[in-house]
């Protein structure tokens, strides 16, 4: 994984060391800036079924409405647009939100990276993998579990940069809790820019932090470019059920006004924040997401917006969140279909799990989330790598395991090659009954690209595996991320831009006191 | 899992202990003898793509042909049917095998269990889960890895009997290597009958052992019933590429003549036994399977036959088999579609992995096999539970982990409930913005059946998990199978039948010397 990333660093010619590494890690999967799927979408519901959910979502928007809290400007925008505003409760004529979205929101858009080769297309047949978002803790086999720091943050930015199967640097890859709450966004955004050249996410914890994110992006991309292009994607969560709070609305307004993209995502643990049923949960989250997306179009028509959802369930015994179970997969397939019918990109899924450690539970649950994610046609996959413990913890070993699985998804989404070479009839004719294909012409011609090659799996004999220390997957993953970080070299960053960013941060940090909120 | 199985034991009334256990382990998934899917099949190829593969399979059958080795009777049957026989090589006019199959093989059929409530329907929209087949080793956390014994065999029969999510007792759930090779089939078939009342598989390692399996089934079901109904399903593997050997043909003839079902399964590790490409592998395995299935119809028109395939890949570096990678999933989806177009039931998939232990590798690979298995619409799923180490080892912990995942697949295949209760609009109206759903009427009404409840996953807080010993999933699974075996009680078996079986076995065992082949 390491060497392919490094070969593509701008401005550096590959040397002998790179060539050796490239030979060692050559993979069947060509490196791409994002995936363009070649296999069909999986649908669980018929059009008639989806219409039932759409109808119910409209009923929720019309009868119950959505709260837009602590934001008088938002309520005024809704009033002017013709919604029924009563206190902070906004009720919408049937079809209003849908029409607002369909009138101006783009069906798909490009998020530009500072390295143009890493720009991603969000929407349509495309899938973009980004790391997990938000964990205050980290875990690795050396140290166990502890609070995350800015050094961990940089490490995960580096790991995502080095992975050929993650297309995006993500946002809060972990919470750098060693920095003041009201200033850590500077270091987070700077780290994404400095230690990676992949696209990244902005801060949403306050309107002014969103503004800082945009201002830093302007230093990198230029002011005019930012106003006309998407260079930051940000996560605008609903407070389900049926509430958007002032913080999120404040951040959304900043990003929308600057034409930057938003993932409007109801965060739902079904049974607590929505009904215990799949169809009920889908109707509610679709209502919430439509209200949020329509709001962004009131702020700036045409601002890129993504229908997002984070959906899982709770244990009805303990109330604890659960992951990788069948019901959230059904929600995911359904919501993805609703997004396609609405005509906006869709964000969901990832490699979610409830396990505290990268064990079989973590893997079962992650796979049972990630495979539905890609089969459903999710366009932006937050939480692709690193997620442990319901999102409370970012795992170093889990990160590289998940990235390996993301690599497999690349291969899956390429589908079946029906070219003459893919049909392989010459091989069958050459080999014939009772012989083996190992040395035949076709096998030798396709040797290097045949079959995805895992960086984590051990497929050796039991005896060889035992001789090598009887390691489990987590211990092999441990070696992988250690080696990646040891071999990491930063992508070039224009020294003038770097200086401007540092100057901006120093000035801004000095202009207000540290705070823990 | 235990108590539901026990509640349903025939001839025993549930007592207080059962009721307590039932309350403790009540699940969202109703116990069913087999699954009838309510969600669509996933297809990776269009009809045009499938036609290319079908065309190539016909070309293989016509030009290259299939070897039927060491069986003059088989060659004579083919000659009479109009095939071109040259030595042991049989070449088929285009469409011949397809027509033979479509003329007489049933599209679906019932395999009867000795408990009629456990009979399974194989084919159509149905899915039957059976344990892993064939491992000479077992592994558990107490003992590590060692050779399997007849006691292990009995244990896995008991665990499959107790699991509400396995519908079938399977066949060689592990190899009882403590018994003579030429007599262990008596003990295996007897164990399936004695310790379970679910349907089971027969021996295929020699024609006379197949006959013993049928004869024992006759003692249980009666001779006339067996001739008119399927009570044994057996695994007839092709020796890919393009060979059926005398042993398998001998067993196939016995089962076909007795109207018992066969899973005709090319066993393919792509790159070694087939081309390194998905389309090439599919054409070859489809040719092999068609030749084998058509042969069963020559022996006895109308004998139930299943298109089976065991497909995985090899590491192109080491030659070792690999599992849970994307290419075998594409083969699986494609072969399942070919089976539907041909009009026969399909067997493939399972919970395959290359890992030696039930770690994250095992879980990732198993999930990446099992989910494609159910989405592809596989009808008979051998290797659903227990599989480790490429099939060399049967894992006790892995077995209960896999059974738990099989439970999740039950829930997934039930699809989205669009009833009024499923839509949950009353709940959304009752709760409203900013509140929670935990105590609302709808949640209370659906409390017990909402969401699949895993028997293995730990969803508690980090602190609670730590206080309980920081166990990984394997250690929780260890407790589950230990408890299941401790609480096991055998289903009733008519003492007359039991005696007849034992008498038959004693006589047959005494009639020829032990042998290690």
């Amino acid at each position: 994984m390491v060497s392919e990333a490094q070969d593509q660093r701008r401005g550096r010619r590959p040397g002998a060391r790179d060539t050796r590494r490239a030979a060692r890690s050559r993979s069947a999967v060509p490196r791409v800036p994002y995936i363009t799927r070649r296999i069909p979408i999986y649908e669980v519901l018929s059009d008639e079924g989806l219409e039932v959910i759409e109808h119910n979502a409209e009923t929720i928007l019309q009868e119950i409405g959505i709260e837009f809290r602590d934001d008088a400007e938002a309520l005024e925008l809704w009033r002017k647009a013709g919604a029924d505003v009563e206190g902070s409760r906004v009720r919408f004529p049937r079809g209003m939100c849908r029409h607002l979205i369909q009138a101006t929101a783009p069906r798909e858009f490009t998020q530009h990276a500072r390295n143009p080769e890493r720009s991603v297309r969000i929407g349509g047949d495309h899938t973009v993998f980004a790391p997990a978002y938000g964990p205050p803790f980290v875990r690795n086999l050396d140290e166990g579990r502890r609070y995350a720091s800015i050094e961990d943050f940089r490490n995960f930015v580096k790991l995502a940069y080095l992975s050929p199967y993650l297309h995006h640097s993500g946002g809060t890859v972990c919470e750098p809790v060693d920095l003041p709450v009201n200033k850590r966004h500077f270091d987070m955004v700077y780290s994404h820019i400095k230690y990676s050249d992949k696209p990244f996410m902005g801060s949403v914890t306050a309107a002014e932090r969103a503004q800082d994110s945009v201002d830093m992006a302007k230093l990198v991309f230029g002011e005019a470019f930012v106003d006309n292009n998407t260079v930051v994607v940000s996560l605008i969560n609903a407070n389900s059920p049926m509430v958007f709070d002032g913080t999120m609305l404040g951040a959304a307004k900043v990003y929308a006004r600057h034409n930057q993209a938003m993932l409007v995502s109801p965060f739902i643990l079904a049974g607590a924040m929505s009904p215990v049923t799949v169809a009920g949960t889908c109707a509610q989250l679709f209502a919430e997401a439509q209200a949020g997306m329509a709001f962004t179009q009131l702020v700036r028509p045409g601002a890129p917006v993504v229908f997002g959802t984070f959906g899982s369930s709770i244990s009805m015994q303990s109330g604890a969140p659960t992951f990788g179970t069948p019901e959230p997969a059904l929600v995911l397939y359904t919501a993805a279909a609703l997004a396609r019918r609405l005509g906006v990109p869709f964000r969901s899924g990832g490699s979610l799990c409830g396990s505290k450690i990268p064990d079989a539970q973590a893997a079962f649950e992650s796979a049972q989330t990630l495979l539905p994610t890609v089969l459903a046609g999710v366009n932006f996959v937050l939480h692709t790598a690193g997620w442990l413990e319901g999102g409370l913890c970012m795992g170093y070993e889990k990160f590289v395991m998940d990235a390996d699985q993301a690599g497999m998804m690349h291969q899956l989404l390429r589908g079946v090659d029906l070219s003459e070479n893919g049909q392989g009839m010459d091989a069958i004719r050459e080999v014939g009954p009772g012989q083996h294909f190992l040395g035949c012409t076709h096998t030798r011609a396709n040797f290097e690209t045949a079959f995805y090659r895992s960086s984590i799996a051990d497929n050796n004999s039991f005896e060889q595996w035992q001789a090598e220390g009887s390691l489990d997957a987590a211990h092999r993953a441990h070696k992988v991320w250690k080696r990646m970080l040891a071999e990491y070299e930063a992508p070039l960053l224009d020294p003038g831009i770097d200086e401007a960013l540092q100057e901006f941060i120093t000035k801004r940090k000095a202009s207000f006191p540290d705070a823990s909120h």
Side-chain angles (χ1 to χ4, degrees), chain A residues 33-35 120-122 126-130 167-168 199 378-382 384:
Chain A
Y34 53 87
I35 298 172
V120 295
R121 192 83 187 146
I122 297 175
H126 312 301
T127 294
V128 172
F129 285 139
H167 314 113
H168 204 279
V378 174
N379 301 118
F380 191 87
V381 186
L382 204 57
T384 306

Side-chain angles (χ1 to χ4, degrees), chain A residues 206-208 210-211 214 249-260 299:
Chain A
E208 62 272 22
Q211 188 62 52
V214 172
L249 293 171
K253 287 188 293 186
V254 170
Y255 287 118
R257 284 196 177 112
H258 289 89
N259 201 29
Q260 299 307 303
V299 176

Side-chain angles (χ1 to χ4, degrees), chain A residues 300-311:
Chain A
R300 175 160 169 171
V305 67
V306 175
F307 170 16
T309 171
F310 178 91

